[in-house]
């Protein structure tokens, strides 16, 4: 090319110039970048291709690798690690449950987590843009991810609101849930009946906090205390998200690290409590027969799936702000095992505390039944000869009571049930499974009332829950805002604020008196099946449509090394098969067990399992359909060319002497033919073209002899920008 050409003159300039391939080859004047896209075969979307290329250069980035890792940890480590994993571990065989969980983490969790990190970092778009690039006909995956994120965010922030309510109630001594309230009936003071029949912590949760109705059909109006807490929760989330990843990344330093400080403090304090070792030993005593139960493997797979946040779009959104050469393979393994470590740490804390609580409740049981026995002795229902001589009722131990109970049961075999004595076994208390809100807001709060300086520990605990929830909510909101802003170019601040305001008003559904039942519905059913379907299609889109070999080659070029062959087989065969089995098992489970919820009956002061009424079942089905509908709709529209996929476009730009290209749906041979004025193929690739990885010192067939200065001769040098390497 002549040295005095305008192209050569601008080669060393800092000015950003965009020109078409034809302009470069004909040495013509550059045209405005908005008009510089060559439209192949009359396709549309060229302007969008250039806009996206320019937008990628200005895309926000993480301030540091640590900030990014903390953001991913904050998103993946959530409330489920604190109250779901310990429950499943206890229910499914203690230490034996860790085996299927680890196996499934390795064959499902890490490979699919790595896949989402890789496509987000490679394409540098949110979930909508990523799956539009990988396979336009499956572009509905991104929209479904956004809808699921919206559903989850609606109720998840309500849980943060509950934690905020308890947090502010913790600044008093004694804690308000430590004793039952006293009601005055004239001159007589009596304990509240509902509280007396249940317990102080249970009463405070259902009546003081939620003021819950007897069923989902009884709305009961808004709970104004929780409405205010929900407003505070959405305000915090909105402020954290509205300024982008620089703002939310700084929030992550606190919201991601603080829970570990609290868990460490609780673990140390818990191990010093009487009976903590009983809880931990019970927790990790393996029931090996459980390992052969298919239900255990299904629940372990579901927990792995949700623990890492797969399918939500948050993982893709966060990784899209990474540098192109970031080692996302290392990130996938690191975040996955930190997530597992957090679950185990939380399990140790929970069962140390629950072991302490079980000892307290067991001693209470012994005292109550000892009083019954003394009453029977005084009325001669029982003979004093039945009481072992060494038993001292003033200092009765659980061992003495067990011995006395066994003697009475043996002698009074026929009339024993009429005595109404309980065995008061520690194992029975430890076997009482609690999960979710029951663990956080009832069992744990009850245990903390017995702690010295209980308000301090209560403040720390609920501040930890708020931070865990906040970290997950920032990732969930990123799964909504990032793809919408990338795709539709809406103003970030306006869209984020509007999204939070909309979510708050829709979230009023969850803060009415029956709101807790809607939280159960959304938590159990609105996301499970749609997310499983989303991840299966993500896996298929990359492994079977785009091609695992081609994707591995892309990763080799991006990372600078070839990922283990292990991932090839996981993506190609094992993960899709496991996900298909999980989906089938979930559908069967849904059919065998009709959907229902645990309702709190005020008159009985007890929970009762109720089935959802017909209108609630219809709402549940609508939620699942709405979440999955974009996938078939986008597929049909693009299959019949009713919706443009932005294909058949090619644009070239260069900056600082290096050329960048954005090629959509053109194979490498098509690109060469196009430059040589030949007809492109009729079946374009769904992904932007990519270079073959030639190893160190390799030369691309399109590069003019590897000129280090990147000067253009008869060929052109491929840029090393994220878009050009796709």
């Amino acid at each position: 090319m002549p040295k005095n050409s305008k192209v050569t003159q601008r080669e060393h300039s800092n000015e950003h110039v965009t020109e078409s391939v034809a302009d470069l080859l004909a040495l013509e004047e550059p045209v405005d970048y908005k008009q510089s896209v060559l439209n192949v075969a009359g396709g549309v979307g060229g302007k969008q291709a250039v806009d996206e290329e320019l937008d990628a250069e200005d895309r926000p980035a993480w301030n540091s690798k640590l900030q990014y890792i903390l953001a991913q940890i904050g998103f993946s480590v959530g409330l489920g690690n604190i109250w779901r994993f310990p429950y499943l571990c206890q229910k499914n065989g203690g230490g034996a449950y860790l085996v299927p969980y680890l196996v499934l983490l390795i064959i499902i969790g890490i490979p699919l987590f790595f896949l989402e990190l890789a496509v987000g970092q490679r394409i540098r778009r949110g979930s909508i843009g990523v799956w539009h690039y990988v396979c336009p006909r499956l572009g509905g995956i991104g929209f479904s991810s956004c809808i699921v994120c919206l559903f989850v965010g609606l109720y998840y922030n309500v849980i943060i609101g509950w934690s905020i309510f308890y947090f502010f109630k913790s600044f008093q001594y004694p804690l308000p849930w430590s004793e039952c309230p006293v009601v005055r009936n004239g001159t007589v003071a009596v304990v509240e009946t509902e509280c007396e029949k249940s317990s102080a912590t249970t009463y405070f949760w259902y009546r003081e906090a939620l003021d819950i109705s007897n069923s989902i059909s009884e709305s009961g109006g808004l709970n104004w205390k929780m409405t205010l807490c929900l407003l505070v929760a959405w305000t915090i989330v909105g402020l954290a998200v509205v300024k982008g990843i620089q703002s939310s990344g700084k929030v992550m330093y606190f919201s991601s690290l603080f829970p570990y400080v609290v868990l460490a403090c609780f673990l140390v304090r818990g191990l010093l409590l009487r009976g903590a070792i009983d809880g931990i030993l019970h927790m990790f005593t393996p029931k090996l027969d459980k390992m052969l139960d298919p239900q255990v493997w299904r629940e372990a797979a579901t927990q792995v799936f949700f623990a890492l946040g797969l399918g939500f779009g948050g993982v893709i959104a966060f990784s899209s702000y990474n540098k192109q050469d970031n080692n996302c393979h290392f990130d996938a393994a690191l975040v996955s095992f930190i997530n597992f470590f957090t679950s185990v740490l939380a399990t140790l804390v929970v069962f140390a505390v629950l072991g302490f609580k079980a000892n307290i409740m067991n001693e209470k049981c012994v005292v109550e039944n000892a009083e019954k026995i003394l009453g029977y002795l005084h009325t001669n229902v029982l003979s004093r000869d039945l009481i072992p001589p060494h038993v001292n009722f003033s200092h009765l131990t659980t061992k003495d009571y067990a011995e006395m109970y066994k003697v009475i049961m043996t002698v009074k075999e026929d009339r024993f049930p009429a005595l109404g004595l309980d065995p008061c076994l520690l194992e029975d208390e430890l076997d009482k499974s609690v999960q979710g809100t029951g663990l956080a807001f009832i069992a744990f709060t009850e245990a903390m009332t017995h702690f010295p300086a209980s308000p301090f520990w209560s403040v720390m605990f609920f501040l930890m829950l708020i931070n865990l929830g906040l970290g997950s909510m920032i990732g969930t909101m990123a799964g909504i805002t990032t793809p919408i802003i990338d795709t539709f170019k809406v103003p970030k601040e306006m869209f984020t604020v509007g999204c939070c305001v909309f979510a708050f008003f829709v979230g009023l559904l969850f803060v009415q008196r029956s709101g807790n039942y809607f939280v159960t519905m959304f938590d159990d059913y609105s996301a499970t099946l749609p997310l499983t379907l989303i991840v299966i299609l993500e896996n298929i889109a990359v492994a079977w449509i785009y091609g695992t070999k081609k994707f591995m080659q892309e990763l080799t070029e991006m990372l600078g090394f070839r990922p283990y062959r292990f991932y090839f087989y996981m993506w190609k065969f094992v993960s899709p098969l496991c996900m298909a089995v999980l989906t089938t098992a979930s559908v069967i489970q849904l059919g065998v067990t009709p959907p229902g919820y645990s309702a709190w009956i005020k008159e009985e002061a007890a929970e009762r399992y109720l089935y959802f009424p017909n209108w609630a079942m219809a709402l549940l089905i609508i939620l699942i359909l709405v979440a999955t509908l974009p996938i078939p709709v986008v597929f049909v529209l693009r299959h019949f060319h009713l919706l443009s996929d932005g294909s058949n476009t090619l644009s070239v730009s260069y900056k600082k002497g290096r050329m960048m290209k954005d090629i959509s749906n053109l194979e490498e041979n098509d690109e060469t033919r196009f430059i040589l004025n030949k007809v492109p193929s009729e079946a374009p690739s769904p992904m932007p073209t990519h270079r073959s990885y030639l190893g160190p010192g390799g030369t691309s067939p399109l590069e003019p002899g590897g000129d280090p200065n990147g000067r253009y001769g008869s060929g052109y040098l491929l840029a090393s920008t994220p878009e050009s390497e796709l």
Side-chain angles (χ1 to χ4, degrees):
M1 183 176 292
K3 292 183 179 181
N4 59 351
S5 71
K6 295 183 185 292
V7 173
T8 307
Q9 290 172 5
R10 296 187 184 188
E11 181 179 339
H12 302 288
S13 171
N14 289 330
E15 181 184 1
H16 188 174
V17 183
T18 304
E19 303 182 271
S20 68
V21 174
D23 291 334
L24 288 169
L25 296 179
L27 305 180
E28 295 178 359
E29 285 288 332
V31 295
D32 181 24
Y33 76 88
K34 293 183 179 180
Q35 306 296 330
S36 65
V37 179
L38 292 176
N39 194 340
V40 182
V44 295
K47 178 180 182 298
Q48 179 185 1
V50 175
D51 288 344
E52 288 177 350
E53 179 181 336
L54 296 174
D55 175 67
E57 287 194 351
D58 299 328
R59 191 172 187 80
W62 298 103
N63 291 333
S64 66
K65 179 66 175 281
L66 176 61
Q67 189 180 87
Y68 163 68
I69 292 295
L70 290 177
Q72 289 287 14
I73 292 172
F75 175 55
S76 66
V77 175
L79 298 174
N81 297 77
I82 303 297
W83 62 34
R84 180 71 178 165
F85 185 88
Y87 160 75
L88 291 175
C89 203
Q90 178 197 27
K91 174 187 173 185
N92 295 318
Y97 173 75
L98 298 179
V99 176
Y101 185 87
L102 266 176
V103 170
L104 292 169
L105 178 66
I106 292 171
I107 67 173
I108 293 180
I110 296 178
L112 294 179
F113 192 61
F114 179 31
L115 184 146
E116 289 202 355
L117 290 178
V119 295
Q121 179 175 310
R122 184 69 169 170
I123 300 174
R124 305 192 74 191
R125 291 289 179 271
S127 56
I128 295 176
V130 159
W131 301 114
H132 166 76
Y133 270 129
V134 172
C135 179
R137 290 182 180 179
L138 291 180
I141 293 175
F143 291 99
S144 289
S145 292
C146 291
I147 294 173
V148 171
C149 281
L150 176 62
F151 288 165
V152 172
L154 287 174
Y155 76 83
Y156 206 89
N157 226 21
V158 174
I159 300 175
I160 298 178
W162 294 342
S163 302
I164 291 172
F165 175 78
Y166 268 81
F167 173 74
F168 285 109
K169 285 289 185 179
S170 299
F171 289 96
Q172 48 188 299
Y173 184 82
L175 291 171
W177 52 81
S178 59
E179 295 178 353
C180 284
V182 176
V183 179
R184 289 200 170 273
N185 186 5
T187 58
V188 180
V190 295
V191 176
E192 175 66 45
T193 306
E194 186 180 3
C195 185
E196 189 176 22
K197 289 181 179 179
S198 53
S199 67
T201 51
T202 304
Y203 173 82
F204 187 88
W205 166 241
Y206 284 118
R207 192 56 50 210
E208 295 293 333
L210 300 181
D211 193 19
I212 200 166
S213 59
N214 283 355
S215 72
I216 195 173
S217 300
E218 302 175 25
S219 169
L222 288 177
N223 180 339
W224 291 105
K225 293 178 290 188
M226 288 305 169
T227 302
L228 182 61
C229 290
L230 180 63
L231 178 61
V232 173
W234 275 114
T235 301
I236 295 173
V237 171
L239 291 174
V241 175
V242 72
K243 292 186 178 180
I245 62 168
Q246 280 80 12
S247 173
S248 60
K250 293 173 183 176
V251 173
M252 286 297 181
Y253 280 113
F254 182 76
S255 64
S256 298
L257 295 176
F258 180 74
Y260 290 96
V261 176
V262 177
L263 285 175
C265 293
F266 262 100
L267 181 60
V268 173
R269 184 68 188 91
L271 292 175
L272 297 176
L273 295 172
R274 177 170 47 87
I277 300 301
D278 294 327
I280 292 175
L281 290 177
H282 178 80
M283 179 65 252
F284 289 105
T285 300
K287 302 178 180 69
L288 298 179
D289 57 307
K290 288 280 190 178
M291 289 180 60
L292 303 177
D293 186 354
Q295 180 72 4
V296 174
W297 288 82
R298 186 187 75 83
E299 293 190 344
T302 304
Q303 178 62 18
V304 167
F305 183 69
F306 287 104
L308 294 175
L310 299 174
F312 283 94
V315 173
I316 294 176
F318 281 159
S319 66
S320 71
Y321 299 114
N322 267 333
K323 294 180 180 179
Q324 183 74 16
D325 58 353
N326 175 63
N327 188 350
C328 56
H329 175 262
F330 171 78
D331 299 342
L334 178 65
V335 174
S336 298
F337 281 106
I338 287 178
N339 188 291
F340 175 69
F341 165 77
T342 306
S343 297
V344 174
L345 176 62
T347 301
L348 286 172
V349 172
V350 166
F351 281 89
V353 173
L354 293 184
F356 166 69
K357 176 179 175 286
N359 274 268
I360 296 291
M361 300 305 294
N362 196 52
E363 290 174 1
K364 183 179 178 181
C365 175
V366 168
V367 171
E368 291 175 352
N369 284 271
E371 290 176 354
K372 287 183 182 180
I373 293 174
L374 282 174
Y376 293 144
L377 291 176
H378 291 151
T379 56
N380 295 321
V381 174
L382 293 178
S383 171
R384 293 188 179 274
D385 296 336
L386 298 177
I387 309 301
H390 64 275
V391 170
N392 182 358
F393 278 92
S394 301
H395 299 87
L396 189 63
T397 64
T398 55
K399 184 178 180 181
D400 291 340
Y401 174 78
E403 184 179 351
M404 185 169 54
Y405 177 86
K406 186 175 181 180
V407 171
I408 295 174
M409 183 175 63
T410 303
V411 174
K412 299 287 184 178
E413 183 175 355
D414 297 332
R415 295 191 299 167
F416 181 77
L419 298 176
L421 298 177
D422 294 320
C424 296
L425 298 176
L426 183 63
E427 289 74 15
D428 291 343
E429 290 292 337
L430 291 170
D431 281 333
K432 290 181 179 178
S433 321
V434 285
Q435 66 162 321
T437 55
L439 174 63
F441 299 106
I442 298 177
F444 226 81
T445 52
E446 184 173 350
M448 284 187 293
T449 59
H450 301 287
F451 281 21
S454 55
F456 168 78
W457 293 104
S458 182
V459 167
M460 294 284 283
F461 177 71
F462 289 108
L463 186 58
M464 177 187 72
L465 291 188
I466 293 170
N467 277 276
L468 285 172
L470 181 61
S472 296
M473 271 304 298
I474 289 175
T476 302
M477 288 296 293
I480 301 173
T481 58
T482 298
I484 296 296
I485 292 169
D486 284 349
T487 304
F488 300 105
K489 310 300 180 186
V490 296
K492 181 183 296 183
E493 291 78 7
M494 184 181 299
F495 176 73
T496 303
V497 171
C499 189
C500 290
V501 172
F502 170 78
F504 168 72
F505 283 106
V506 176
L508 295 178
L509 173 71
F510 303 100
V511 291
Q512 55 183 337
R513 291 182 59 200
S514 60
N516 186 46
Y517 307 137
F518 286 97
V519 170
T520 300
M521 175 194 291
F522 273 66
D523 188 31
D524 291 345
Y525 303 106
S526 71
T528 305
L529 285 177
L531 276 180
T532 310
L533 177 62
I534 286 170
V535 176
I536 289 176
L537 292 177
E538 288 180 356
N539 198 165
I540 291 173
V542 171
W544 290 92
I545 297 178
Y546 181 61
T548 311
K549 290 183 179 179
K550 191 183 293 185
F551 185 60
M552 292 287 282
Q553 190 66 44
E554 296 284 341
L555 292 180
T556 302
E557 182 178 336
M558 182 173 72
L559 300 175
F561 63 89
R562 189 171 187 84
Y564 298 118
R565 194 76 176 170
F566 163 81
Y567 291 105
F568 178 91
Y569 295 108
M570 293 300 106
W571 290 330
K572 191 79 171 178
F573 305 110
V574 179
S575 294
L577 179 62
C578 289
M579 296 302 296
V581 171
L582 175 60
T583 304
T584 305
S586 299
V587 172
I588 293 174
Q589 180 71 17
L590 194 62
V592 171
T593 307
Y597 62 101
S598 293
W600 179 258
I601 310 301
K602 181 178 181 179
E603 294 74 21
E604 301 174 7
E607 289 184 340
R608 185 194 301 171
Y609 190 81
L610 302 177
Y611 295 117
F612 285 117
N614 292 334
W615 65 266
M617 285 293 297
L619 176 60
L620 188 153
I621 293 171
I622 290 172
L623 290 174
I624 296 175
L625 290 178
V626 167
T628 55
L629 194 59
I631 297 174
V633 167
V634 172
F635 182 87
V636 170
L637 291 177
R638 284 183 172 159
H639 180 74
F640 292 102
H641 307 291
L642 300 175
L643 180 67
S644 170
D645 58 8
S647 61
N648 299 325
T649 61
L650 179 139
S651 66
V652 178
S653 65
Y654 64 92
K655 180 180 182 181
K656 296 182 181 179
R658 303 201 67 184
M659 184 172 292
M660 300 182 303
K661 66 175 183 174
D662 185 340
I663 301 176
S664 299
N665 298 336
L666 287 174
E667 295 286 0
E668 288 178 326
N669 291 336
D670 296 336
E671 175 192 11
T672 306
R673 292 194 202 102
F674 178 80
I675 296 175
L676 298 176
N677 296 320
K678 294 190 177 181
V679 181
S681 70
E682 296 295 327
S685 167
M687 278 286 283
T689 58
H690 63 280
R691 289 181 294 171
S692 299
Y693 178 68
L694 303 174
T699 304
S700 170
L702 293 177
E703 292 182 12
D707 188 334
N709 296 322
R711 297 182 181 272
Y712 309 115
S714 60
Y716 61 91
L717 180 65
L718 294 172
S720 59
T721 59
E723 285 74 14
S724 68
E725 293 182 353
L726 290 173

